[in-house]
Amino acid sequence: MSEILEYKNNENVVDNLSIKRLRDFPTYYKDFIAFVTNSIKDNYDEIDESFAKRLIEIDKKGFDEYGFFTLGKDIWICFYNDEPMGFEVITRKRGGSIKLGPTYLLHKYRGKGFAKEMIQQICDVYVKNGTRKVYVTAPINNYSTAVLDYCKLNLNLEAILCKNYSKNSSDRVCGKIFHTKDNNDSITVRIKQGTNLIKQVSKNKLSKINFEKLNNFVCKNMQLYFNDIDATFTKTIIDASCEENKLIYERKCKDSFVVLENDEIECLVIATPKRGGNYKVSPFLINDSYLNENNIMKLVKEIEKSALLLERRKISIFVPVGEIVISNTLSLKNYFCEGILREPYKENCDIIVFSKFLGE
């Protein structure tokens, strides 16, 4: 999925419409930065030109060196009669998904079907290269998404993220599965509760743990619900939880919470501060013998304490549907469900989004 893609336009679909990679047209970088910054700043907090400049940097490299679930970002420019008419950013994710947006179209081209055609042609490139799913996170107020009604792309509503990137704007998550495995694999469900109790939770101490041991724990516990988890994923966790990366969004800064018993890893939780004030928690890993309500809440309390120190206003915990004990515990402890993401990181495995506002 790290391959840099090219597109050969189908002239029979829309005459004189062509899709190109922005990195081949650097003269339009300034326009892209201005359009992206101005079009999303009203719906997303903490947005300035550095956001768009970082997108260009990742696009030129072909990968995101700080990527966690993100592998890379591709920026496309659409021309009509050789005149630039819009931009589309594609985020490539582990597990075979892509995320649409930001999407920008000049006002004079809106409402004429160009945005739909632009996105469909771009998605076609990725589907042919193995992409399973496309999804978009877009403001409900529809100001910045007026260029396109996502229902026209047959994207289904999966979640409503309340005040997720801004206190003044909520977002809808819409997605579509292009293809999935045609098999009878059953989802892994964990119901049995362990009896061991956590004695201590350590924060941001991963660099002191043997890498092979940590990587084995991560890969073993995540392979049930996630694809494409490997040593590069584990290394990103370690690098991003170093103190010098704190609150540097471009470096995917993270907090790690780990439980060690007799020098063995029993629990690992990763939290990422997001632009706009959210504190995204994923993964939330607990060995079977420690899977119980008391331990889950002890980890959650550490997460909440850290979120408050970072002045986060919201926590969102992403939980695979098979993690019944974790889901049940969160739902009983004032965490509300914002929706279920369909197969975002692995075939036949949905993810529930549980959230809580702090100080409300």
Side-chain angles (χ1 to χ4, degrees), residues 136-160:
V136 62
T137 302
I140 293 177
N141 62 26
N142 205 39
Y143 292 135
S144 66
T145 58
V147 296
L148 182 69
D149 179 356
Y150 290 105
C151 292
K152 294 178 181 178
L153 290 171
N154 297 317
L155 303 184
N156 297 313
L157 181 66
E158 298 182 359
I160 298 293

Side-chain angles (χ1 to χ4, degrees), residues 6 8 10 23 63 68 76 105 107 123 205 209-210 239 250 255 260 309 311 327 344:
E6 301 291 347
K8 294 183 178 179
N10 183 354
R23 69 172 196 274
F63 64 94
F68 187 45
W76 299 83
L105 204 66
H107 286 275
C123 286
K205 301 294 184 182
I209 299 175
N210 176 271
D239 294 342
E250 290 76 12
D255 284 317
L260 293 172
L309 286 174
E311 299 182 339
S327 295

Side-chain angles (χ1 to χ4, degrees), residues 48-270:
D48 54 28
E49 288 190 352
S50 66
F51 175 78
K53 289 178 179 179
R54 176 60 180 161
L55 295 179
I56 292 174
E57 182 182 343
I58 297 173
D59 180 46
K60 289 193 293 185
K61 289 182 178 179
F63 64 94
D64 187 348
E65 72 270 35
Y66 300 115
F68 187 45
F69 287 112
T70 294
L71 295 173
K73 294 180 183 288
D74 306 329
I75 307 175
W76 299 83
I77 181 170
C78 183
F79 293 90
Y80 182 64
N81 288 331
D82 296 324
E83 177 185 350
M85 54 174 284
F87 299 96
E88 181 65 53
V89 178
I90 298 292
T91 300
R92 290 175 279 113
K93 296 286 189 176
R94 292 181 187 269
S97 295
I98 60 170
K99 178 181 178 181
L100 298 174
T103 302
Y104 183 82
L105 204 66
L106 291 173
H107 286 275
K108 68 179 181 179
Y109 293 107
R110 298 181 184 182
K112 300 178 181 179
F114 284 108
K116 176 184 176 182
E117 183 63 30
M118 176 177 71
I119 291 176
Q120 284 184 329
Q121 290 189 12
I122 292 173
C123 286
D124 185 55
V125 178
Y126 292 88
V127 173
K128 289 179 180 177
N129 283 271
T131 293
R132 296 185 304 104
K133 177 184 179 179
V134 60
Y135 72 98
V136 62
T137 302
I140 293 177
N141 62 26
N142 205 39
Y143 292 135
S144 66
T145 58
V147 296
L148 182 69
D149 179 356
Y150 290 105
C151 292
K152 294 178 181 178
L153 290 171
N154 297 317
L155 303 184
N156 297 313
L157 181 66
E158 298 182 359
I160 298 293
L161 306 181
C162 304
K163 302 178 183 178
N164 202 58
Y165 300 106
S166 171
K167 291 182 288 186
N168 302 313
S169 178
S170 295
D171 295 83
R172 50 183 173 166
V173 180
C174 303
K176 177 182 180 180
I177 305 293
F178 290 113
H179 60 83
T180 190
K181 288 184 177 179
D182 184 16
N183 57 32
N184 296 318
D185 289 350
S186 58
I187 185 172
T188 301
V189 177
R190 293 205 300 167
I191 299 177
K192 184 178 180 181
Q193 298 198 35
T195 57
N196 291 344
L197 295 177
I198 292 174
K199 296 177 183 177
Q200 181 179 356
V201 179
S202 299
K203 181 181 176 182
N204 297 334
K205 301 294 184 182
L206 296 187
S207 61
K208 300 183 182 301
I209 299 175
N210 176 271
F211 180 81
E212 183 176 357
K213 180 179 292 187
L214 176 63
N215 185 55
N216 288 339
F217 176 86
V218 170
C219 294
K220 175 185 176 182
N221 283 275
M222 291 190 69
Q223 66 182 0
L224 296 176
Y225 308 116
F226 301 84
N227 282 336
D228 300 329
I229 303 301
D230 53 22
T232 61
F233 182 87
T234 306
K235 185 177 184 302
T236 300
I237 297 174
I238 298 173
D239 294 342
S241 60
C242 294
E243 285 302 320
E244 59 266 27
N245 286 331
K246 288 301 155 202
L247 284 182
I248 303 177
Y249 294 120
E250 290 76 12
R251 296 186 181 181
K252 303 296 194 301
C253 53
K254 306 190 185 310
D255 284 317
S256 58
F257 305 86
V258 65
V259 174
L260 293 172
E261 297 291 348
N262 298 319
D263 202 36
E264 293 297 323
I265 305 171
E266 301 295 349
C267 308
L268 175 64
V269 176
I270 305 299

